[in-house]
Amino acid sequence: MTSIAVRSVTKRFGPSGTPPVLGSIDLEIGAGQFVALLGSSGCGKTTLLRTIGGLETASGGTITVDGRSVTGGASERRKALADVGFVFQEHNLLPWRTALENVALPLQSRKVAKATRTAKAGEMLELVGLSHAADKLPHEMSGGMRQRVAIARALAYDPGVLLMDEPFGALDAQTRDNLNLELQRIWLEARKTVVFVTHSISEAVFLADRVVVMQAQPGRVVADVTIDLARSRGADVMATPEFARYTGLLRDALDGHDAPALNDPAPNATEEKSA
Amino acid sequence: MTSIAVRSVTKRFGPSGTPPVLGSIDLEIGAGQFVALLGSSGCGKTTLLRTIGGLETASGGTITVDGRSVTGGASERRKALADVGFVFQEHNLLPWRTALENVALPLQSRKVAKATRTAKAGEMLELVGLSHAADKLPHEMSGGMRQRVAIARALAYDPGVLLMDEPFGALDAQTRDNLNLELQRIWLEARKTVVFVTHSISEAVFLADRVVVMQAQPGRVVADVTIDLARSRGADVMATPEFARYTGLLRDALDGHDAPALNDPAPNATEEKSA
Amino acid sequence: ACGSDDAETVKGGVTRTYQSALGWLVGNSPEIIAKEAGYLAEYGINGKLVSSTGTAQALQGLLAKSSEYSRIQPLSSMITIANEDAPFVVFGTSVQASAFEMQSLAEKPVKSMKDLEGKSVGIISAGGTTDQMVDLMAVRQGVKPKDINRKVTGLGTAAHQFALKGDVVAWIGSATERTALEEAGHKIHAWSFDSVIKVPGDSFVTTRDELDKNRDVVVKVLAAYYRGLEFVVDPKNDKQTIEYFRTYNREITVDMAQAQLDVARPLFLAAGRNNIMKTDVTQWDTMQDALAQAGLIEKTVDLSTVVYADLLDEALALI
Amino acid sequence: MKRTSTFVDRWLVFVTTPLLALVIIGGWEAYVRLSGVSHFVLPGPGDVFAALKTQITDPYVWTEHVWTTFVETVFGLLIGAAIGIASGFAIGKSRILDLVLRPFLVLIQVTPKVALAPLFVLWFGFGESSKIALAALVCFFPLMVNTAFGIQSLPQGHGDMATSIGAGRWFRFARVELPHTMAYILAGLEQAVVLATIGAIVGEYLGGDKGLGRYALNLQSNLQIDLLFGAIVLMAVYGLVLYVATTSLKKVLIPWHESVRLTSRPSK
Amino acid sequence: MKRTSTFVDRWLVFVTTPLLALVIIGGWEAYVRLSGVSHFVLPGPGDVFAALKTQITDPYVWTEHVWTTFVETVFGLLIGAAIGIASGFAIGKSRILDLVLRPFLVLIQVTPKVALAPLFVLWFGFGESSKIALAALVCFFPLMVNTAFGIQSLPQGHGDMATSIGAGRWFRFARVELPHTMAYILAGLEQAVVLATIGAIVGEYLGGDKGLGRYALNLQSNLQIDLLFGAIVLMAVYGLVLYVATTSLKKVLIPWHESVRLTSRPSK
Ligand SMILES: Nc1ncnc2c1ncn2[C@@H]1O[C@H](COP(=O)(O)OP(=O)(O)OP(=O)(O)O)[C@@H](O)[C@H]1O
Ligand SMILES: Nc1ncnc2c1ncn2[C@@H]1O[C@H](COP(=O)(O)OP(=O)(O)OP(=O)(O)O)[C@@H](O)[C@H]1O
Ligand SMILES: [Mg+2]
Ligand SMILES: [Mg+2]
């Protein structure tokens, strides 16, 4: 079953004539799939994610989430996005709310009772290792703490689709590893559809079912690699030769040597796109 | 010659009585040394860097930069910091200035002639791979692009001391590797004093002469490891067993198993601190 | 409350509002006493008293039917009646002489409008009564109104300062203001406008509509005002007058009020004790001619449709 | 450094304000003596303070005038704030409403209300209602402009976040837009409270029988210029008190805002 | 979606504004007819527009009244803006100056200026200077409040960045603080331009022989109420034009600001 379908989506900021930020993007993501999005800085990952999340209007093409159009009317879009959680590249915490209150916000918006949402938000803060900082305001937190609060916020209301834009970018290795494991656990339990932008190739391989590689000008998909590693994966998976093969493959795709490296065994899981 | 001397520095946000964010920090950094600062999220790296950079007032202790006190009077502080460049964890670009204008800002503040500063800023943008984005405003750039502009800004006026707070956090592997090499080149050429906060152990080992590891509550230095790898280091250094030894050592220090692992050969470069 | 909204309303009576043209001056005492001494109530009228900041405000209040009665300087009402067909009628005259004087420094006295040619005179407000007064008197004394500059100096006491400074050579002020200046030790030369042209004193006005529909009420109001005026002109009542007055202008001291009363009484009595409240139609005639001559009105009106001097007789019949 | 500057902050004002006040009063006295200005135009500070003393010990001044003006100001401010904030949000959130409504709201503001006073009296009577209406009409504007400015300054990220959690219109408004805009509203309120006071007093000037404006008018026509200046001082202090009350709302309502946070950062 | 809404934005206003104006004029006409209000209090729109027609074709109205008020407003605004922005920066940047100066600046603002009119005239003369002074005094306040608010809202990161590059006071001010505060200043200016107009007109009410205020006062004393309302319309339009001129400064001075950026984001 398809969860997210991106069809011939283009995006330009500015009047037609300006070069597009996204060329023509086609992407189909099955329900419960974990897709990592790799690509160099400025290639359009955030833009693609934001367009899927209904935060930018596509200049062309259509996007559906769970069969509902995101690119159409506002009420249809709202319905389509009701079950979508977003972790932004910048934390976007509300400066007047404490960590706990920020995490509880989506629950509050869903009219969850106060006691329940405080409990739930507390749980989420615990998950990201911030129980001790529940009462801090954003300006009293470190960069990494803010980002973790933002992750907790997106997880708090248990959305079926998670769009995560470099959620672990500002975290130290240890916290990051912990959260990687947690995210995998959550995903294995609940089988959410996840689109996960990251700059770390190994993080992508470790977490994802499938890694989509983008390149810039215009932003386009240049590789789409299925990661056939058994779940649940432990830290030890990183030492396996398959893991190294995948990271090598992806590194090449990122460098632009796409064609030769992409001889992946799985038949229709790897596709090639040319600009 | 000592470039930065941090002596018994403590820092608390709030009235005395609140638990300190920085315990008593002692740190001496020689002129031209490249020091990496590692530590888990929220342990006080940013706070320490900001205090050294004169952006926070120390609650106790003294800091000197090139012999001038940062913790004393305002005019002394200004002189001390005249030669210090800062890359912030958050980009802090001015939203009304284009990438080029943002990079040129410190030069403008130093009354560099317009033509010179435009040329210099253009050069710096090229270094971070953003020549094509010189005329973009911050809100028209991607997260990684903004961070690169901020790096270019700090490098533009060629300060003798560079304080860098996770400068490469939001960058893809390739860009990051390039900038690592560039930074090493610049440092080898000009022998700046650099304090470099990072979450990547391998980045720390790759770049630094010395890696300082902090732990939290209160923020304190738990390990101080001299990296004895020959310069200039290429990407291949990462494959050497020394490299692996250092990363293992540091990983242990980060995890809190400090004492046994810290049997480093260099006599007074490694110190141990206990809480 | 300043007595305007109190409980002593007359059951089944009509309510009528009087709006003063400019705050509460001792000159308003007859109207105040008419209410406070219960004369209006005796005639079945619930009186209300409100103030305003200018003749135009008061006149507009009448036209808006926010209020029914006022007492204003006749120059203004005449001009609006003639030029704008404003539906005002005059039914009584409380002051029989002009309250305004041409004042100047005693050292440099201005003795006639001729002395003002090419000079500046201080007036209270632009376009207002004092401004029109200057026009009228200039024409009377053969000076082109345009040849006299006007400066808005406000109160006479402040105008004096501008005269000292040389901004104006004379100003228009009231007798009360002159007294205050003299008490402060200044020497003032002053002459009443009546010495140049005798215009009617401040008159009670209401609207044509009120007169047509409620002539009896107008007469009763006038009767009450007449009794108020009678009360005021009798020095025996001064203590009580001042007490009544001070319910509306609590700020004034008894001494000051007494002093102002002493200045105002001669104005009430200027036409003689037997002629108080009398409206002299010939003065209106004179004024209208002068205004026409000065070009301040475009056409003349039939004064019998404006000035109802005979209402006083009907009012006196009630007393 | 921090402790000192907080200490200085807290106590300095008790030294400097009286000092500056003394300087101003001294200058005033000197001017009155040297220029020989008539006491009908500007009485000396001695006379004015003597007058002020009798005024502030007169309960009637408090119960009638100050209280009346206070009630008018507060109600005017409440109504004006409701109009100003509501219209500010409307035009701030909708470009179309902005284009359509703003011209008319600006027109209301620029229209000189003095000329409309008779209409006000006609519609709202001679009592307090007409003054309240005038105060409301005079004070809504800064709230409108600042509220619109605030809502339009909502960081894109805040709005995106609200969209992404599927916030409904009302939730977005109450939990994201309103708190963000609060700082701007309060800056508008600082101005509105002053304008409401002026509006109420001007309204009293134009007609009525109570309130500070009416009081001043009487004093003026009585030529009690020293008392008039006393009343002016009273009105000014009255406005200042209301203003201070308003600004202290900031510490309660937006403790998190940059403009309120007590910074312990080095001075620059 | 974007194209349409820009199109709608641009043209809708040419439809709705006249439409809304018509509705208001229609309501006015209906009120005048049904309520039977005297035309001396509120003339019908027909009369007012007839009056307005004679007024706008009378060159004297333009050369004497409109021009005089315009000059007074502009100079008053310039002086007031200079005072307001300067004092706003001073009190915004220094907590101590804030505590020391703000009470006095608020006092200046809350003091009813009507009673001080003779002093103004005494100091600034009968001519335009006294009106300019009044306009300046009335309009500086929103600029002060908003400038102070703006400078106090400077994101900590901006300030830190300036410190870190070793920016001097002046550079920090000119390149960081001022550009950031510009948006706030412009919001203050929107209010100041309106207040300056009111200040100039009130000044003319209080004395003078030229300008729209004096003109309106004459018309009111003559009970030429249709002409008076014509003059009010003229003043209102005049104020509106100045206001629009001010707001369009935004597009020039702060094109980067959230409140100006034309967003292509989905409607929420
Ligand atoms: N302004 C502040 N007020 C109160 N507490 C603060 C403030 N700034 C930082 N802290 C606290 O100080 C501690 C250290 O913060 P700091 O930003 O130095 O961490 P960090 O090591 O840089 O972390 P990260 O890697 O996540 O950026 C945190 O626990 C944080 O909550
Ligand atoms: N609002 C905007 N206006 C104009 N151009 C924009 C805007 N937002 C993004 N861009 C451009 O679109 C391109 C893609 O940006 P995007 O943020 O999607 O990159 P990214 O892949 O997320 O990069 P990073 O890894 O650095 O976050 C960039 O070149 C950027 O300059
Ligand atoms: Mg991005
Ligand atoms: Mg940090």
Side-chain angles (χ1 to χ4, degrees):
Chain A
M1 216 199 87
T2 313
S3 174
I4 300 174
V6 177
R7 296 218 175 80
S8 323
V9 162
T10 57
K11 171 71 188 173
R12 47 170 60 83
F13 293 96
S16 55
T18 43
V21 165
L22 297 181
S24 180
I25 305 263
D26 282 287
L27 198 61
E28 215 156 277
I29 297 173
Q33 219 176 25
F34 196 122
V35 174
L37 206 56
L38 275 177
S40 61
S41 169
C43 74
K45 304 179 295 298
T46 297
T47 305
L48 177 58
L49 215 62
R50 286 175 58 84
T51 313
I52 295 175
L55 299 173
E56 303 280 355
T57 321
S59 307
T62 58
I63 296 174
T64 58
V65 172
D66 291 332
R68 288 207 181 86
S69 168
V70 175
T71 38
S75 83
E76 173 93 353
R77 183 174 57 233
R78 195 166 302 152
K79 269 183 222 140
L81 299 174
D83 198 32
V84 176
F86 210 113
V87 180
F88 297 88
Q89 191 165 6
E90 279 162 6
H91 57 78
N92 291 342
L93 299 181
L94 298 180
W96 54 88
R97 289 190 154 228
T98 62
L100 190 86
E101 288 166 353
N102 263 294
V103 174
L105 190 78
L107 298 170
Q108 196 177 357
S109 147
R110 280 173 171 69
K111 303 207 169 52
V112 175
K114 172 132 191 167
T116 326
R117 68 176 188 250
T118 307
K120 180 80 188 168
E123 217 174 275
M124 287 298 125
L125 277 181
E126 175 136 36
L127 187 76
V128 296
L130 284 179
S131 297
H132 65 282
D135 293 332
K136 281 191 196 275
L137 289 173
H139 79 267
E140 299 168 332
M141 289 188 263
S142 78
M145 289 160 77
R146 284 179 214 148
Q147 205 167 10
R148 281 182 279 159
V149 174
I151 295 165
R153 178 177 61 195
L155 295 175
Y157 62 105
D158 214 20
V161 178
L162 261 177
L163 307 176
M164 305 178 89
D165 197 354
E166 300 187 40
F168 304 152
L171 300 182
D172 58 297
Q174 200 185 346
T175 312
R176 192 165 182 153
D177 290 348
N178 286 343
L179 285 177
N180 276 340
L181 288 170
E182 278 299 335
L183 186 59
Q184 184 184 213
R185 187 184 58 72
I186 292 171
W187 178 79
L188 284 173
E189 263 175 32
R191 288 285 167 177
K192 296 167 186 303
T193 308
V194 180
V195 185
F196 186 95
V197 175
T198 175
H199 283 312
S200 161
I201 296 176
S202 61
E203 188 170 80
V205 175
F206 179 79
L207 284 172
D209 293 328
R210 192 180 147 197
V211 179
V212 172
V213 179
M214 286 180 70
Q215 272 191 3
Q217 274 160 349
R220 63 202 188 280
V221 175
V222 293
D224 191 335
V225 179
T226 301
I227 308 294
D228 255 331
L229 295 170
R231 302 273 186 181
S232 88
R233 304 165 185 167
D236 46 348
V237 76
M238 302 208 200
T240 63
E242 274 95 78
F243 195 90
R245 200 180 64 86
Y246 281 121
T247 54
L249 194 78
L250 291 169
R251 194 175 298 272
D252 285 348
L254 277 167
D255 289 356
H257 321 289
D258 36 11
L262 289 173
N263 44 1
D264 193 84
N268 65 0
T270 304
E271 305 164 33
E272 278 180 49
K273 306 263 150 104
S274 59
Chain B
M1 217 198 86
T2 312
S3 176
I4 300 173
V6 178
R7 297 216 175 80
S8 322
V9 162
T10 57
K11 171 71 189 174
R12 48 171 59 84
F13 294 95
S16 55
T18 43
V21 165
L22 296 180
S24 179
I25 305 262
D26 281 287
L27 197 62
E28 214 156 278
I29 296 174
Q33 220 176 24
F34 195 122
V35 174
L37 207 56
L38 275 177
S40 62
S41 170
C43 73
K45 305 177 296 297
T46 297
T47 305
L48 177 57
L49 216 62
R50 285 174 60 83
T51 313
I52 296 174
L55 300 173
E56 303 281 354
T57 320
S59 307
T62 58
I63 296 174
T64 58
V65 172
D66 290 335
R68 288 206 181 85
S69 167
V70 174
T71 37
S75 84
E76 172 94 353
R77 183 174 56 234
R78 195 166 303 151
K79 270 186 220 135
L81 299 174
D83 199 30
V84 176
F86 209 112
V87 180
F88 296 88
Q89 192 164 3
E90 278 162 8
H91 56 78
N92 290 345
L93 299 182
L94 298 180
W96 55 88
R97 288 191 155 227
T98 62
L100 190 85
E101 288 166 353
N102 263 295
V103 174
L105 191 78
L107 298 169
Q108 196 177 357
S109 147
R110 282 172 171 69
K111 301 207 171 54
V112 174
K114 172 131 192 170
T116 327
R117 71 177 186 250
T118 307
K120 180 79 186 169
E123 219 173 273
M124 288 299 125
L125 277 181
E126 174 137 33
L127 188 77
V128 297
L130 284 179
S131 299
H132 64 282
D135 293 332
K136 280 192 197 275
L137 289 172
H139 79 266
E140 299 168 333
M141 289 188 265
S142 79
M145 289 161 77
R146 285 180 212 146
Q147 205 168 12
R148 283 181 281 159
V149 175
I151 296 164
R153 178 177 61 194
L155 296 175
Y157 61 105
D158 215 18
V161 178
L162 261 177
L163 306 176
M164 305 178 86
D165 197 354
E166 298 188 42
F168 304 152
L171 299 182
D172 58 296
Q174 198 185 348
T175 313
R176 192 163 183 155
D177 290 348
N178 285 343
L179 286 177
N180 276 341
L181 289 171
E182 278 300 333
L183 186 58
Q184 183 183 214
R185 189 183 59 71
I186 292 171
W187 178 77
L188 285 174
E189 262 176 29
R191 288 284 168 177
K192 297 166 186 306
T193 309
V194 180
V195 185
F196 186 96
V197 175
T198 176
H199 283 313
S200 162
I201 298 175
S202 61
E203 188 170 79
V205 175
F206 179 80
L207 283 172
D209 291 329
R210 192 180 146 196
V211 179
V212 171
V213 180
M214 288 180 68
Q215 272 189 5
Q217 272 158 353
R220 63 203 188 278
V221 175
V222 294
D224 190 335
V225 180
T226 302
I227 308 293
D228 255 331
L229 295 171
R231 301 272 186 182
S232 89
R233 302 166 187 164
D236 46 348
V237 77
M238 304 209 198
T240 63
E242 275 96 78
F243 195 92
R245 198 180 66 86
Y246 282 121
T247 52
L249 195 77
L250 291 169
R251 194 176 297 270
D252 285 346
L254 277 167
D255 288 356
H257 320 289
D258 37 10
L262 290 173
N263 45 1
D264 193 82
N268 65 358
T270 303
E271 305 162 34
E272 277 179 53
K273 307 263 148 104
S274 58
Chain C
C2 290
S4 51
D5 282 319
D6 31 355
E8 25 161 316
T9 48
V10 188
K11 262 187 246 112
V14 292
T15 300
R16 285 296 181 269
T17 305
Y18 170 91
Q19 186 171 20
S20 80
L22 192 90
W24 296 117
L25 302 170
V26 167
N28 296 113
S29 295
E31 302 94 271
I32 289 172
I33 291 164
K35 169 170 168 46
E36 292 300 313
Y39 301 147
L40 282 169
E42 274 179 38
Y43 298 119
I45 295 169
N46 290 317
K48 289 194 175 186
L49 294 166
V50 294
S51 69
S52 77
T53 37
T55 308
Q57 301 273 2
L59 290 180
Q60 279 188 287
L62 289 181
L63 293 167
K65 300 196 168 67
S66 303
S67 58
E68 285 81 20
Y69 300 98
S70 185
R71 196 197 81 171
I72 58 170
Q73 221 288 327
L75 267 188
S76 308
S77 35
M78 189 68 243
I79 290 172
T80 56
I81 290 164
N83 285 352
E84 307 299 326
D85 299 323
F88 297 126
V89 295
V90 172
F91 64 94
T93 306
S94 74
V95 175
Q96 303 293 345
S98 174
F100 287 121
E101 303 174 342
M102 181 66 77
Q103 302 174 352
S104 51
L105 301 175
E107 310 88 76
K108 290 180 236 156
V110 166
K111 296 196 166 123
S112 79
M113 299 305 281
K114 285 266 186 231
D115 295 346
L116 286 171
E117 227 168 336
K119 307 248 173 60
S120 294
V121 62
I123 57 176
I124 292 172
S125 76
T129 306
T130 51
D131 205 350
Q132 294 158 351
M133 196 78 99
V134 173
D135 287 342
L136 195 61
M137 309 247 275
V139 171
R140 261 291 151 125
Q141 297 197 330
V143 180
K144 282 209 209 79
K146 278 210 155 69
D147 290 345
I148 300 174
N149 296 322
R150 329 288 158 91
K151 299 241 159 105
V152 179
T153 47
L155 291 176
T157 44
H160 174 251
Q161 176 91 34
F162 293 107
L164 289 176
K165 215 171 141 239
D167 287 329
V168 294
V169 295
W171 66 92
I172 294 177
S174 68
T176 309
E177 287 161 347
R178 173 169 45 78
T179 317
L181 284 170
E182 282 166 352
E183 269 170 18
H186 303 292
K187 297 237 168 347
I188 306 297
H189 176 81
W191 41 270
S192 167
F193 288 166
D194 288 347
S195 65
V196 177
I197 172 175
K198 188 84 181 91
V199 297
D202 287 5
S203 312
F204 290 107
V205 292
T206 184
T207 56
R208 161 108 263 137
D209 199 43
E210 169 79 354
L211 182 65
D212 287 351
K213 292 196 183 127
N214 303 303
R215 191 185 173 97
D216 57 322
V217 179
V218 178
V219 169
K220 286 174 185 162
V221 167
L222 183 57
Y225 288 174
Y226 183 88
R227 289 168 67 184
L229 187 52
E230 268 191 319
F231 190 90
V232 173
V233 294
D234 188 347
K236 283 207 303 287
N237 298 328
D238 277 5
K239 199 160 159 282
Q240 184 61 45
T241 299
I242 289 168
E243 198 173 302
Y244 285 141
F245 177 64
R246 289 187 73 237
T247 32
Y248 290 85
N249 186 340
R250 196 177 166 282
E251 288 68 38
I252 202 163
T253 61
V254 175
D255 290 347
M256 286 173 71
Q258 183 65 58
Q260 289 191 15
L261 198 53
D262 293 341
V263 174
R265 199 171 358 242
L267 301 177
F268 290 132
L269 291 170
R273 172 65 184 80
N274 295 329
N275 291 324
I276 59 168
M277 198 60 96
K278 205 160 242 154
T279 306
D280 186 345
V281 186
T282 57
Q283 282 177 2
W284 281 82
D285 256 332
T286 318
M287 179 175 69
Q288 179 162 241
D289 289 349
L291 284 171
Q293 210 187 330
L296 286 171
I297 55 176
E298 293 147 10
K299 60 175 196 298
T300 55
V301 296
D302 176 4
L303 284 175
S304 69
T305 63
V306 174
V307 182
Y308 289 81
D310 45 350
L311 284 181
L312 184 60
D313 298 331
E314 293 176 36
L316 289 174
L318 289 181
I319 298 170
Chain D
M1 171 163 270
K2 190 200 162 192
R3 200 125 359 122
T4 347
S5 81
T6 314
F7 180 81
V8 167
D9 280 8
R10 192 157 303 157
W11 296 106
L12 193 81
V13 64
F14 291 104
V15 179
T16 54
T17 305
L19 214 71
L20 199 56
L22 275 182
V23 169
I24 291 174
I25 292 168
W28 173 6
E29 177 75 46
Y31 174 76
V32 168
R33 293 205 179 189
L34 297 178
S35 74
V37 65
S38 152
H39 69 275
F40 288 114
V41 174
L42 181 66
D47 295 345
V48 172
F49 286 112
L52 194 58
K53 218 176 107 192
T54 69
Q55 289 172 310
I56 57 176
T57 50
D58 179 355
Y60 189 82
V61 169
W62 294 101
T63 56
E64 287 292 296
H65 300 317
V66 175
W67 177 248
T68 304
T69 303
F70 177 73
V71 169
E72 290 163 1
T73 308
V74 168
F75 280 99
L77 185 63
L78 286 179
I79 296 170
I83 299 173
I85 295 172
S87 61
F89 271 112
I91 67 178
K93 289 201 60 163
S94 154
R95 232 185 111 63
I96 291 181
L97 278 184
D98 189 355
L99 289 167
V100 173
L101 285 187
R102 200 192 276 250
F104 292 95
L105 294 166
V106 175
L107 276 180
I108 290 179
Q109 178 67 7
V110 291
T111 303
K113 273 134 220 108
V114 181
L116 300 181
L119 273 180
F120 268 78
V121 171
L122 181 63
W123 290 334
F124 300 103
F126 285 103
E128 289 162 17
S129 316
S130 57
K131 283 96 207 171
I132 291 173
L134 192 65
L137 216 56
V138 166
C139 81
F140 88 97
F141 196 65
L143 281 161
M144 179 192 94
V145 170
N146 270 29
T147 306
F149 173 52
I151 190 87
Q152 288 178 344
S153 306
L154 186 79
Q156 187 182 335
H158 287 9
D160 286 349
M161 189 275 298
T163 307
S164 82
I165 64 167
R169 255 166 214 283
W170 170 250
F171 188 82
R172 169 189 287 270
F173 172 75
R175 302 295 166 183
V176 182
E177 291 166 341
L178 185 63
H180 166 78
T181 309
M182 196 50 84
Y184 298 78
I185 292 179
L186 289 176
L189 202 63
E190 285 182 30
Q191 299 159 50
V193 69
V194 168
L195 287 181
T197 308
I198 295 177
I201 289 176
V202 168
E204 291 162 1
Y205 257 91
L206 294 180
D209 41 38
K210 283 189 281 187
L212 286 170
R214 178 70 193 83
Y215 178 57
L217 194 66
N218 263 358
L219 297 172
Q220 190 167 15
S221 49
N222 294 347
L223 301 181
Q224 295 167 308
I225 308 297
D226 47 352
L227 282 168
L228 175 64
F229 272 80
I232 291 176
V233 172
L234 206 61
M235 290 187 228
V237 171
Y238 162 88
L240 184 62
V241 169
L242 277 190
Y243 177 86
V244 169
T246 312
T247 49
S248 25
L249 276 180
K250 277 212 269 194
K251 294 191 189 92
V252 182
L253 288 177
I254 50 163
W256 54 272
H257 192 263
E258 313 249 2
S259 66
V260 179
R261 258 146 64 181
L262 251 183
T263 55
S264 64
R265 271 168 274 150
S267 62
K268 267 126 209 173
Chain E
M1 172 162 269
K2 188 199 163 192
R3 201 123 0 120
T4 346
S5 80
T6 314
F7 179 82
V8 167
D9 280 9
R10 193 158 301 157
W11 296 106
L12 194 80
V13 63
F14 291 104
V15 180
T16 53
T17 306
L19 215 71
L20 199 55
L22 275 181
V23 168
I24 290 174
I25 292 169
W28 172 6
E29 177 75 46
Y31 174 75
V32 167
R33 292 204 180 189
L34 297 178
S35 73
V37 64
S38 155
H39 68 274
F40 286 105
V41 173
L42 181 66
D47 295 345
V48 171
F49 287 112
L52 195 57
K53 221 176 105 190
T54 70
Q55 290 171 311
I56 57 176
T57 51
D58 179 355
Y60 190 80
V61 169
W62 293 101
T63 55
E64 289 292 294
H65 300 315
V66 176
W67 178 246
T68 304
T69 304
F70 178 73
V71 169
E72 290 162 1
T73 308
V74 168
F75 281 99
L77 184 63
L78 287 178
I79 297 170
I83 298 172
I85 295 173
S87 60
F89 271 112
I91 68 179
K93 289 200 60 163
S94 155
R95 233 186 108 64
I96 291 180
L97 278 184
D98 190 355
L99 289 167
V100 174
L101 285 186
R102 201 192 277 253
F104 293 94
L105 293 167
V106 176
L107 277 181
I108 291 179
Q109 179 66 7
V110 291
T111 304
K113 274 136 219 107
V114 181
L116 299 180
L119 272 180
F120 268 79
V121 173
L122 188 63
W123 290 334
F124 298 103
F126 290 97
E128 290 160 15
S129 316
S130 56
K131 283 98 208 172
I132 292 174
L134 192 65
L137 217 57
V138 166
C139 81
F140 88 97
F141 197 65
L143 280 162
M144 181 193 92
V145 170
N146 270 30
T147 305
F149 173 52
I151 190 89
Q152 287 177 343
S153 308
L154 187 79
Q156 186 180 337
H158 287 9
D160 286 349
M161 191 275 298
T163 308
S164 82
I165 64 168
R169 255 168 214 284
W170 170 250
F171 188 81
R172 168 190 288 270
F173 172 75
R175 301 294 166 185
V176 182
E177 292 166 340
L178 185 61
H180 166 79
T181 309
M182 195 50 83
Y184 298 79
I185 292 180
L186 288 176
L189 202 63
E190 285 181 32
Q191 300 159 50
V193 69
V194 167
L195 288 181
T197 308
I198 294 176
I201 289 176
V202 168
E204 291 162 0
Y205 257 89
L206 296 180
D209 36 42
K210 281 189 283 187
L212 287 169
R214 164 62 204 264
Y215 179 56
L217 195 62
N218 264 356
L219 296 172
Q220 188 171 17
S221 341
N222 295 346
L223 283 190
Q224 293 172 305
I225 308 298
D226 48 349
L227 284 169
L228 173 65
F229 272 79
I232 290 175
V233 171
L234 207 60
M235 289 187 232
V237 170
Y238 162 89
L240 185 62
V241 168
L242 278 190
Y243 177 86
V244 169
T246 312
T247 49
S248 26
L249 276 180
K250 277 212 268 192
K251 292 190 191 94
V252 181
L253 288 176
I254 49 163
W256 54 272
H257 192 263
E258 312 251 3
S259 66
V260 179
R261 258 146 64 183
L262 252 182
T263 55
S264 64
R265 272 168 273 150
S267 63
K268 267 128 211 168

